[in-house]
Each structure stands twice: as C-alpha cells, then as structure tokens.
Short mmCIF file of all heavy atoms in Angstrom, two decimals:
data_model
loop_
_atom_site.label_atom_id
_atom_site.label_comp_id
_atom_site.label_asym_id
_atom_site.label_seq_id
_atom_site.Cartn_x
_atom_site.Cartn_y
_atom_site.Cartn_z
N MET F 1 97.14 -3.39 81.65
CA MET F 1 96.74 -2.57 80.53
C MET F 1 97.55 -1.27 80.50
O MET F 1 97.94 -0.83 79.43
CB MET F 1 95.25 -2.28 80.61
CG MET F 1 94.72 -1.54 79.43
SD MET F 1 92.97 -1.83 79.32
CE MET F 1 92.46 -0.43 78.43
N ILE F 2 97.78 -0.67 81.64
CA ILE F 2 98.54 0.57 81.67
C ILE F 2 99.95 0.34 81.15
O ILE F 2 100.48 1.15 80.40
CB ILE F 2 98.57 1.17 83.10
CG1 ILE F 2 97.18 1.68 83.47
CG2 ILE F 2 99.59 2.28 83.21
CD1 ILE F 2 97.04 2.16 84.88
N GLU F 3 100.54 -0.79 81.52
CA GLU F 3 101.89 -1.10 81.03
C GLU F 3 101.90 -1.21 79.51
O GLU F 3 102.81 -0.71 78.86
CB GLU F 3 102.39 -2.39 81.68
CG GLU F 3 103.83 -2.69 81.34
CD GLU F 3 104.34 -3.91 82.09
OE1 GLU F 3 104.03 -4.04 83.29
OE2 GLU F 3 105.02 -4.71 81.46
N THR F 4 100.88 -1.84 78.95
CA THR F 4 100.78 -1.96 77.50
C THR F 4 100.63 -0.59 76.86
O THR F 4 101.26 -0.29 75.85
CB THR F 4 99.58 -2.84 77.11
OG1 THR F 4 99.73 -4.11 77.74
CG2 THR F 4 99.49 -3.03 75.62
N ASP F 5 99.81 0.27 77.46
CA ASP F 5 99.64 1.63 76.94
C ASP F 5 100.97 2.38 76.97
O ASP F 5 101.30 3.11 76.04
CB ASP F 5 98.59 2.40 77.74
CG ASP F 5 97.18 1.88 77.48
OD1 ASP F 5 96.98 1.13 76.51
OD2 ASP F 5 96.28 2.24 78.27
N LEU F 6 101.73 2.19 78.04
CA LEU F 6 103.03 2.85 78.14
C LEU F 6 103.98 2.33 77.06
O LEU F 6 104.78 3.10 76.52
CB LEU F 6 103.63 2.65 79.53
CG LEU F 6 102.92 3.40 80.66
CD1 LEU F 6 103.54 3.05 82.00
CD2 LEU F 6 102.93 4.90 80.43
N ASP F 7 103.90 1.05 76.73
CA ASP F 7 104.70 0.51 75.65
C ASP F 7 104.35 1.17 74.32
O ASP F 7 105.22 1.52 73.54
CB ASP F 7 104.52 -1.01 75.53
CG ASP F 7 105.17 -1.78 76.65
OD1 ASP F 7 106.06 -1.23 77.34
OD2 ASP F 7 104.80 -2.95 76.85
N HIS F 8 103.05 1.35 74.07
CA HIS F 8 102.61 2.02 72.84
C HIS F 8 103.12 3.46 72.81
O HIS F 8 103.60 3.93 71.77
CB HIS F 8 101.09 1.99 72.71
CG HIS F 8 100.53 0.65 72.41
ND1 HIS F 8 100.86 -0.07 71.29
CD2 HIS F 8 99.64 -0.12 73.10
CE1 HIS F 8 100.20 -1.21 71.29
NE2 HIS F 8 99.46 -1.27 72.38
N CYS F 9 103.04 4.13 73.94
CA CYS F 9 103.53 5.51 74.02
C CYS F 9 105.03 5.56 73.75
O CYS F 9 105.51 6.45 73.04
CB CYS F 9 103.23 6.11 75.39
SG CYS F 9 101.47 6.39 75.68
N ARG F 10 105.77 4.63 74.32
CA ARG F 10 107.22 4.58 74.13
C ARG F 10 107.56 4.36 72.66
O ARG F 10 108.45 5.03 72.11
CB ARG F 10 107.84 3.46 74.97
CG ARG F 10 109.35 3.33 74.83
CD ARG F 10 109.89 2.08 75.52
NE ARG F 10 109.18 0.86 75.16
CZ ARG F 10 109.36 0.19 74.01
NH1 ARG F 10 110.19 0.63 73.10
NH2 ARG F 10 108.69 -0.92 73.77
N ILE F 11 106.85 3.46 72.01
CA ILE F 11 107.09 3.17 70.60
C ILE F 11 106.85 4.42 69.76
O ILE F 11 107.65 4.77 68.88
CB ILE F 11 106.18 2.01 70.12
CG1 ILE F 11 106.64 0.71 70.76
CG2 ILE F 11 106.16 1.91 68.61
CD1 ILE F 11 105.65 -0.45 70.64
N ILE F 12 105.77 5.14 70.03
CA ILE F 12 105.46 6.36 69.28
C ILE F 12 106.52 7.43 69.55
O ILE F 12 107.00 8.09 68.63
CB ILE F 12 104.05 6.87 69.64
CG1 ILE F 12 103.00 5.86 69.15
CG2 ILE F 12 103.80 8.24 69.04
CD1 ILE F 12 101.62 6.10 69.70
N MET F 13 106.89 7.61 70.82
CA MET F 13 107.88 8.61 71.18
C MET F 13 109.22 8.34 70.49
O MET F 13 109.84 9.25 69.94
CB MET F 13 108.08 8.62 72.69
CG MET F 13 108.00 9.99 73.28
SD MET F 13 108.04 10.02 75.10
CE MET F 13 109.24 8.83 75.55
N GLU F 14 109.65 7.10 70.49
CA GLU F 14 110.92 6.75 69.85
C GLU F 14 110.87 7.04 68.35
O GLU F 14 111.83 7.55 67.78
CB GLU F 14 111.27 5.29 70.10
CG GLU F 14 111.71 5.01 71.52
CD GLU F 14 111.91 3.54 71.82
OE1 GLU F 14 111.67 2.68 70.93
OE2 GLU F 14 112.30 3.23 72.96
N SER F 15 109.75 6.74 67.74
CA SER F 15 109.60 6.99 66.31
C SER F 15 109.64 8.49 66.02
O SER F 15 110.30 8.94 65.08
CB SER F 15 108.29 6.38 65.81
OG SER F 15 108.16 6.55 64.42
N LEU F 16 108.96 9.29 66.84
CA LEU F 16 108.97 10.74 66.66
C LEU F 16 110.35 11.32 66.90
O LEU F 16 110.77 12.24 66.19
CB LEU F 16 107.96 11.40 67.60
CG LEU F 16 106.48 11.16 67.29
CD1 LEU F 16 105.62 11.74 68.40
CD2 LEU F 16 106.10 11.74 65.95
N ASN F 17 111.07 10.79 67.88
CA ASN F 17 112.41 11.30 68.19
C ASN F 17 113.41 11.01 67.08
O ASN F 17 114.41 11.70 66.96
CB ASN F 17 112.91 10.73 69.52
CG ASN F 17 112.22 11.35 70.70
OD1 ASN F 17 111.69 12.45 70.62
ND2 ASN F 17 112.19 10.64 71.82
N GLN F 18 113.16 10.00 66.28
CA GLN F 18 114.04 9.68 65.16
C GLN F 18 113.84 10.66 64.01
O GLN F 18 114.66 10.74 63.11
CB GLN F 18 113.83 8.25 64.69
CG GLN F 18 114.30 7.23 65.70
CD GLN F 18 113.97 5.80 65.29
OE1 GLN F 18 113.35 5.57 64.27
NE2 GLN F 18 114.37 4.86 66.11
N GLY F 19 112.74 11.40 64.04
CA GLY F 19 112.50 12.45 63.07
C GLY F 19 112.03 12.01 61.70
O GLY F 19 111.79 12.83 60.84
N GLY F 20 111.86 10.74 61.48
CA GLY F 20 111.44 10.27 60.17
C GLY F 20 109.96 10.01 60.05
O GLY F 20 109.52 9.39 59.10
N GLY F 21 109.18 10.46 60.99
CA GLY F 21 107.75 10.18 60.95
C GLY F 21 107.46 8.85 61.61
O GLY F 21 108.34 8.21 62.20
N LEU F 22 106.22 8.43 61.52
CA LEU F 22 105.79 7.19 62.17
C LEU F 22 106.10 5.99 61.29
O LEU F 22 105.70 5.96 60.13
CB LEU F 22 104.29 7.24 62.46
CG LEU F 22 103.81 8.34 63.40
CD1 LEU F 22 102.29 8.29 63.53
CD2 LEU F 22 104.45 8.20 64.76
N ASP F 23 106.82 5.03 61.86
CA ASP F 23 107.04 3.79 61.13
C ASP F 23 105.81 2.89 61.31
O ASP F 23 104.84 3.27 61.96
CB ASP F 23 108.33 3.10 61.59
CG ASP F 23 108.34 2.76 63.08
OD1 ASP F 23 107.25 2.70 63.70
OD2 ASP F 23 109.42 2.54 63.63
N THR F 24 105.85 1.72 60.74
CA THR F 24 104.70 0.81 60.78
C THR F 24 104.31 0.44 62.21
O THR F 24 103.13 0.44 62.55
CB THR F 24 105.00 -0.46 59.96
OG1 THR F 24 105.41 -0.07 58.66
CG2 THR F 24 103.79 -1.36 59.87
N GLU F 25 105.30 0.15 63.02
CA GLU F 25 105.03 -0.24 64.41
C GLU F 25 104.41 0.93 65.19
O GLU F 25 103.46 0.75 65.96
CB GLU F 25 106.32 -0.70 65.08
CG GLU F 25 106.12 -1.19 66.50
CD GLU F 25 107.40 -1.65 67.16
OE1 GLU F 25 108.50 -1.22 66.74
OE2 GLU F 25 107.30 -2.43 68.11
N ALA F 26 104.95 2.13 64.98
CA ALA F 26 104.42 3.31 65.67
C ALA F 26 103.00 3.62 65.19
O ALA F 26 102.15 4.00 65.99
CB ALA F 26 105.33 4.50 65.45
N GLN F 27 102.74 3.45 63.91
CA GLN F 27 101.40 3.69 63.38
C GLN F 27 100.40 2.71 64.00
O GLN F 27 99.29 3.10 64.38
CB GLN F 27 101.38 3.57 61.86
CG GLN F 27 100.05 3.90 61.23
CD GLN F 27 99.59 5.33 61.47
OE1 GLN F 27 100.36 6.26 61.30
NE2 GLN F 27 98.36 5.51 61.87
N ALA F 28 100.81 1.46 64.15
CA ALA F 28 99.94 0.46 64.77
C ALA F 28 99.67 0.82 66.24
O ALA F 28 98.53 0.71 66.71
CB ALA F 28 100.57 -0.93 64.68
N SER F 29 100.69 1.28 66.95
CA SER F 29 100.52 1.69 68.34
C SER F 29 99.59 2.90 68.43
O SER F 29 98.73 2.97 69.31
CB SER F 29 101.87 2.03 68.97
OG SER F 29 102.61 0.86 69.19
N LEU F 30 99.75 3.83 67.52
CA LEU F 30 98.88 5.01 67.50
C LEU F 30 97.44 4.61 67.24
O LEU F 30 96.52 5.14 67.86
CB LEU F 30 99.36 6.01 66.46
CG LEU F 30 98.57 7.31 66.38
CD1 LEU F 30 98.53 8.03 67.72
CD2 LEU F 30 99.16 8.21 65.30
N ASP F 31 97.23 3.66 66.36
CA ASP F 31 95.88 3.18 66.08
C ASP F 31 95.24 2.58 67.33
O ASP F 31 94.07 2.83 67.62
CB ASP F 31 95.88 2.15 64.95
CG ASP F 31 96.20 2.76 63.60
OD1 ASP F 31 96.12 4.01 63.45
OD2 ASP F 31 96.55 1.98 62.68
N VAL F 32 96.02 1.81 68.08
CA VAL F 32 95.51 1.20 69.32
C VAL F 32 95.14 2.29 70.33
O VAL F 32 94.04 2.28 70.91
CB VAL F 32 96.56 0.24 69.93
CG1 VAL F 32 96.17 -0.17 71.35
CG2 VAL F 32 96.74 -0.98 69.05
N LEU F 33 96.04 3.24 70.54
CA LEU F 33 95.77 4.30 71.51
C LEU F 33 94.63 5.20 71.06
O LEU F 33 93.83 5.66 71.88
CB LEU F 33 97.03 5.12 71.76
CG LEU F 33 98.16 4.38 72.47
CD1 LEU F 33 99.40 5.26 72.57
CD2 LEU F 33 97.73 3.89 73.83
N ASN F 34 94.52 5.44 69.77
CA ASN F 34 93.42 6.25 69.24
C ASN F 34 92.08 5.56 69.51
O ASN F 34 91.11 6.20 69.91
CB ASN F 34 93.62 6.49 67.75
CG ASN F 34 92.66 7.52 67.22
OD1 ASN F 34 92.56 8.61 67.76
ND2 ASN F 34 91.97 7.17 66.15
N HIS F 35 92.04 4.25 69.31
CA HIS F 35 90.81 3.49 69.58
C HIS F 35 90.46 3.55 71.07
O HIS F 35 89.30 3.76 71.43
CB HIS F 35 90.98 2.05 69.12
CG HIS F 35 89.81 1.18 69.46
ND1 HIS F 35 88.61 1.28 68.81
CD2 HIS F 35 89.66 0.23 70.41
CE1 HIS F 35 87.76 0.41 69.33
NE2 HIS F 35 88.38 -0.23 70.31
N ARG F 36 91.46 3.39 71.92
CA ARG F 36 91.21 3.44 73.37
C ARG F 36 90.74 4.82 73.80
O ARG F 36 89.84 4.94 74.65
CB ARG F 36 92.47 3.04 74.13
CG ARG F 36 92.75 1.57 73.98
CD ARG F 36 93.87 1.12 74.83
NE ARG F 36 94.12 -0.30 74.58
CZ ARG F 36 95.25 -0.90 74.82
NH1 ARG F 36 96.25 -0.23 75.34
NH2 ARG F 36 95.39 -2.18 74.57
N LEU F 37 91.31 5.87 73.22
CA LEU F 37 90.88 7.23 73.55
C LEU F 37 89.44 7.45 73.11
O LEU F 37 88.64 8.03 73.85
CB LEU F 37 91.81 8.26 72.91
CG LEU F 37 91.48 9.72 73.18
CD1 LEU F 37 91.46 10.02 74.68
CD2 LEU F 37 92.47 10.62 72.45
N ALA F 38 89.10 7.00 71.92
CA ALA F 38 87.72 7.15 71.43
C ALA F 38 86.73 6.43 72.34
O ALA F 38 85.65 6.95 72.64
CB ALA F 38 87.61 6.62 70.00
N THR F 39 87.10 5.25 72.81
CA THR F 39 86.25 4.49 73.72
C THR F 39 86.06 5.24 75.04
O THR F 39 84.96 5.32 75.57
CB THR F 39 86.86 3.09 73.98
OG1 THR F 39 86.99 2.41 72.74
CG2 THR F 39 86.01 2.27 74.92
N LEU F 40 87.15 5.79 75.56
CA LEU F 40 87.06 6.56 76.81
C LEU F 40 86.18 7.80 76.64
O LEU F 40 85.39 8.14 77.53
CB LEU F 40 88.45 6.99 77.27
CG LEU F 40 89.27 5.94 77.98
CD1 LEU F 40 90.70 6.45 78.20
CD2 LEU F 40 88.64 5.58 79.32
N LYS F 41 86.30 8.47 75.50
CA LYS F 41 85.50 9.67 75.25
C LYS F 41 84.01 9.35 75.19
O LYS F 41 83.19 10.18 75.57
CB LYS F 41 85.95 10.36 73.97
CG LYS F 41 87.26 11.10 74.11
CD LYS F 41 87.64 11.78 72.82
CE LYS F 41 88.89 12.59 72.94
NZ LYS F 41 89.21 13.31 71.68
N LYS F 42 83.67 8.16 74.72
CA LYS F 42 82.26 7.76 74.69
C LYS F 42 81.72 7.59 76.11
O LYS F 42 80.59 7.95 76.41
CB LYS F 42 82.08 6.46 73.91
CG LYS F 42 82.20 6.63 72.42
CD LYS F 42 82.03 5.30 71.71
CE LYS F 42 82.28 5.45 70.23
NZ LYS F 42 82.24 4.15 69.54
N SER F 43 82.55 7.03 76.98
CA SER F 43 82.13 6.80 78.36
C SER F 43 82.23 8.06 79.22
O SER F 43 81.48 8.22 80.18
CB SER F 43 83.00 5.71 78.99
OG SER F 43 82.82 4.50 78.31
N TYR F 44 83.16 8.92 78.88
CA TYR F 44 83.41 10.12 79.68
C TYR F 44 83.47 11.34 78.75
O TYR F 44 84.55 11.76 78.34
CB TYR F 44 84.72 10.00 80.45
CG TYR F 44 84.76 8.80 81.37
CD1 TYR F 44 85.37 7.60 80.96
CD2 TYR F 44 84.19 8.86 82.63
CE1 TYR F 44 85.39 6.49 81.79
CE2 TYR F 44 84.21 7.75 83.47
CZ TYR F 44 84.81 6.58 83.04
OH TYR F 44 84.83 5.49 83.87
N PRO F 45 82.32 11.91 78.42
CA PRO F 45 82.27 13.04 77.48
C PRO F 45 83.14 14.24 77.90
O PRO F 45 83.58 15.00 77.04
CB PRO F 45 80.80 13.43 77.46
CG PRO F 45 80.07 12.22 77.93
CD PRO F 45 81.00 11.52 78.87
N GLN F 46 83.42 14.37 79.18
CA GLN F 46 84.25 15.48 79.63
C GLN F 46 85.68 15.38 79.11
O GLN F 46 86.45 16.34 79.19
CB GLN F 46 84.23 15.62 81.16
CG GLN F 46 84.75 14.44 81.93
CD GLN F 46 83.70 13.40 82.28
OE1 GLN F 46 82.77 13.17 81.54
NE2 GLN F 46 83.87 12.75 83.42
N LEU F 47 86.04 14.25 78.53
CA LEU F 47 87.37 14.08 77.92
C LEU F 47 87.40 14.55 76.47
O LEU F 47 88.40 14.36 75.78
CB LEU F 47 87.80 12.60 77.98
CG LEU F 47 88.01 12.00 79.36
CD1 LEU F 47 88.32 10.51 79.23
CD2 LEU F 47 89.13 12.72 80.09
N GLY F 48 86.33 15.17 76.02
CA GLY F 48 86.19 15.56 74.63
C GLY F 48 87.34 16.36 74.06
O GLY F 48 87.64 16.28 72.88
N LYS F 49 88.01 17.15 74.90
CA LYS F 49 89.10 18.00 74.40
C LYS F 49 90.46 17.31 74.48
O LYS F 49 91.46 17.87 74.04
CB LYS F 49 89.14 19.31 75.17
CG LYS F 49 87.93 20.18 74.88
CD LYS F 49 88.05 21.51 75.56
CE LYS F 49 86.82 22.36 75.23
NZ LYS F 49 86.91 23.68 75.84
N VAL F 50 90.52 16.12 75.05
CA VAL F 50 91.78 15.39 75.13
C VAL F 50 92.16 14.93 73.73
O VAL F 50 91.35 14.38 72.99
CB VAL F 50 91.67 14.17 76.08
CG1 VAL F 50 92.94 13.34 76.06
CG2 VAL F 50 91.35 14.63 77.48
N ALA F 51 93.42 15.18 73.35
CA ALA F 51 93.87 14.82 72.01
C ALA F 51 95.36 14.50 72.03
O ALA F 51 96.05 14.77 73.02
CB ALA F 51 93.60 15.98 71.05
N PHE F 52 95.84 13.96 70.95
CA PHE F 52 97.27 13.70 70.80
C PHE F 52 97.99 15.01 70.54
O PHE F 52 97.39 15.99 70.10
CB PHE F 52 97.51 12.72 69.65
CG PHE F 52 97.01 11.34 69.94
CD1 PHE F 52 95.82 10.90 69.38
CD2 PHE F 52 97.70 10.49 70.77
CE1 PHE F 52 95.33 9.63 69.65
CE2 PHE F 52 97.22 9.22 71.06
CZ PHE F 52 96.04 8.79 70.49
N SER F 53 99.28 15.02 70.78
CA SER F 53 100.07 16.24 70.58
C SER F 53 100.10 16.64 69.11
O SER F 53 99.82 15.83 68.21
CB SER F 53 101.50 16.01 71.08
OG SER F 53 102.18 15.12 70.21
N ALA F 54 100.49 17.88 68.88
CA ALA F 54 100.60 18.38 67.51
C ALA F 54 101.63 17.58 66.71
O ALA F 54 101.43 17.31 65.52
CB ALA F 54 100.97 19.86 67.53
N ALA F 55 102.71 17.16 67.36
CA ALA F 55 103.74 16.37 66.68
C ALA F 55 103.18 15.03 66.21
O ALA F 55 103.47 14.58 65.09
CB ALA F 55 104.94 16.15 67.60
N VAL F 56 102.38 14.40 67.04
CA VAL F 56 101.77 13.12 66.66
C VAL F 56 100.79 13.33 65.51
O VAL F 56 100.79 12.57 64.54
CB VAL F 56 101.07 12.46 67.87
CG1 VAL F 56 100.23 11.26 67.43
CG2 VAL F 56 102.08 12.04 68.91
N GLU F 57 99.99 14.37 65.60
CA GLU F 57 99.01 14.64 64.53
C GLU F 57 99.70 14.94 63.20
O GLU F 57 99.26 14.49 62.15
CB GLU F 57 98.07 15.78 64.93
CG GLU F 57 97.14 15.43 66.09
CD GLU F 57 96.19 14.28 65.81
OE1 GLU F 57 95.97 13.92 64.65
OE2 GLU F 57 95.67 13.73 66.79
N ARG F 58 100.81 15.71 63.24
CA ARG F 58 101.57 15.97 62.00
C ARG F 58 102.11 14.69 61.42
O ARG F 58 102.05 14.46 60.21
CB ARG F 58 102.70 16.95 62.28
CG ARG F 58 102.30 18.40 62.31
CD ARG F 58 103.52 19.33 62.30
NE ARG F 58 104.43 19.08 63.41
CZ ARG F 58 104.32 19.63 64.62
NH1 ARG F 58 103.32 20.44 64.88
NH2 ARG F 58 105.19 19.35 65.55
N SER F 59 102.67 13.84 62.26
CA SER F 59 103.23 12.57 61.79
C SER F 59 102.14 11.66 61.24
O SER F 59 102.36 10.97 60.25
CB SER F 59 103.98 11.86 62.92
OG SER F 59 105.12 12.61 63.27
N ARG F 60 100.98 11.69 61.87
CA ARG F 60 99.86 10.89 61.39
C ARG F 60 99.43 11.38 60.00
O ARG F 60 99.18 10.58 59.10
CB ARG F 60 98.68 10.96 62.35
CG ARG F 60 97.54 10.05 61.93
CD ARG F 60 96.25 10.31 62.66
NE ARG F 60 96.34 10.61 64.05
CZ ARG F 60 95.57 10.05 64.97
NH1 ARG F 60 94.67 9.15 64.64
NH2 ARG F 60 95.66 10.40 66.23
N ALA F 61 99.38 12.69 59.82
CA ALA F 61 99.00 13.26 58.53
C ALA F 61 100.04 12.90 57.46
O ALA F 61 99.68 12.54 56.32
CB ALA F 61 98.86 14.76 58.65
N GLN F 62 101.32 12.96 57.82
CA GLN F 62 102.38 12.58 56.87
C GLN F 62 102.25 11.12 56.47
O GLN F 62 102.42 10.77 55.31
CB GLN F 62 103.76 12.79 57.49
CG GLN F 62 104.26 14.20 57.44
CD GLN F 62 105.65 14.31 58.07
OE1 GLN F 62 105.96 13.59 59.02
NE2 GLN F 62 106.46 15.21 57.55
N ALA F 63 101.98 10.27 57.44
CA ALA F 63 101.83 8.84 57.16
C ALA F 63 100.65 8.59 56.23
O ALA F 63 100.73 7.75 55.32
CB ALA F 63 101.66 8.05 58.45
N SER F 64 99.58 9.34 56.41
CA SER F 64 98.40 9.19 55.54
C SER F 64 98.72 9.60 54.11
O SER F 64 98.33 8.94 53.16
CB SER F 64 97.24 10.03 56.05
OG SER F 64 96.79 9.54 57.29
N VAL F 65 99.47 10.69 53.96
CA VAL F 65 99.84 11.16 52.62
C VAL F 65 100.76 10.15 51.95
O VAL F 65 100.60 9.84 50.78
CB VAL F 65 100.53 12.55 52.73
CG1 VAL F 65 101.17 12.93 51.41
CG2 VAL F 65 99.52 13.59 53.16
N GLN F 66 101.72 9.59 52.70
CA GLN F 66 102.64 8.61 52.13
C GLN F 66 101.92 7.34 51.74
O GLN F 66 102.26 6.70 50.76
CB GLN F 66 103.75 8.31 53.13
CG GLN F 66 104.71 9.47 53.30
CD GLN F 66 105.73 9.22 54.40
OE1 GLN F 66 105.66 8.24 55.14
NE2 GLN F 66 106.67 10.14 54.53
N THR F 67 100.91 6.96 52.50
CA THR F 67 100.14 5.75 52.20
C THR F 67 99.36 5.94 50.91
O THR F 67 99.22 5.01 50.13
CB THR F 67 99.18 5.42 53.37
OG1 THR F 67 99.94 5.26 54.56
CG2 THR F 67 98.40 4.16 53.10
N MET F 68 98.85 7.14 50.69
CA MET F 68 98.05 7.42 49.50
C MET F 68 98.91 7.49 48.25
O MET F 68 98.43 7.27 47.14
CB MET F 68 97.29 8.73 49.66
CG MET F 68 96.20 8.67 50.68
SD MET F 68 95.42 10.28 50.78
CE MET F 68 94.14 9.96 51.95
N SER F 69 100.20 7.79 48.41
CA SER F 69 101.09 7.94 47.24
C SER F 69 101.45 6.62 46.63
O SER F 69 101.40 5.59 47.11
CB SER F 69 102.37 8.65 47.66
OG SER F 69 102.07 9.93 48.15
#
C-alpha cells in the first residue's frame, strides 16, 4: 500500500512540476490520497491539521474551475 501511495505522490509531483496544473491522472491520484487521508483522520483525530500543500490545493482549485467551465 505504501508503494502505491508513493506512486500517487509521484504522479501528483510530476504534474505540479510541469506547471500546467493537475492532469486527469494526477487528479485521480489526488482523489485517492484525499480519500485515504480522510479515512485516517476519522481513525486518528490528532491528524486533523494534516493537509495537502498549498501548491496542491491551488492546483485542485484550478482543476475545479476548469471542470465547471
């Protein structure tokens, strides 16, 4: 499972490094990691402040705006 998570992280990082925002594959990876983080936060409330980086959140917001257009 950790290896799979690292693959998702790598996909997101590569997408962010290209500077064009999150592509479809990166968005799917982010969705998976977001779900896993939410599950962990339910089991471990002390993780409540753990979040994705500002760069990821900006890219996620951009992707949402582009999807709505």
Side-chain angles (χ1 to χ4, degrees):
M1 185 158 156
I2 291 174
E3 186 175 318
T4 303
D5 289 346
L6 290 176
D7 288 341
H8 289 300
C9 291
R10 180 189 50 78
I11 291 166
I12 294 167
M13 230 173 41
E14 288 174 358
S15 183
L16 290 173
N17 287 337
Q18 292 174 358
L22 298 177
D23 59 20
T24 306
E25 183 180 23
Q27 184 62 47
S29 288
L30 182 56
D31 290 344
V32 168
L33 293 176
N34 191 52
H35 175 72
R36 290 187 182 157
L37 180 58
T39 301
L40 281 172
K41 285 181 176 183
K42 286 179 185 175
S43 297
Y44 302 97
Q46 61 271 33
L47 296 175
K49 292 185 179 182
V50 175
F52 292 102
S53 70
V56 170
E57 293 298 342
R58 279 191 303 273
S59 293
R60 184 193 320 227
Q62 279 181 326
S64 294
V65 169
Q66 290 174 352
T67 302
M68 291 179 177
S69 299

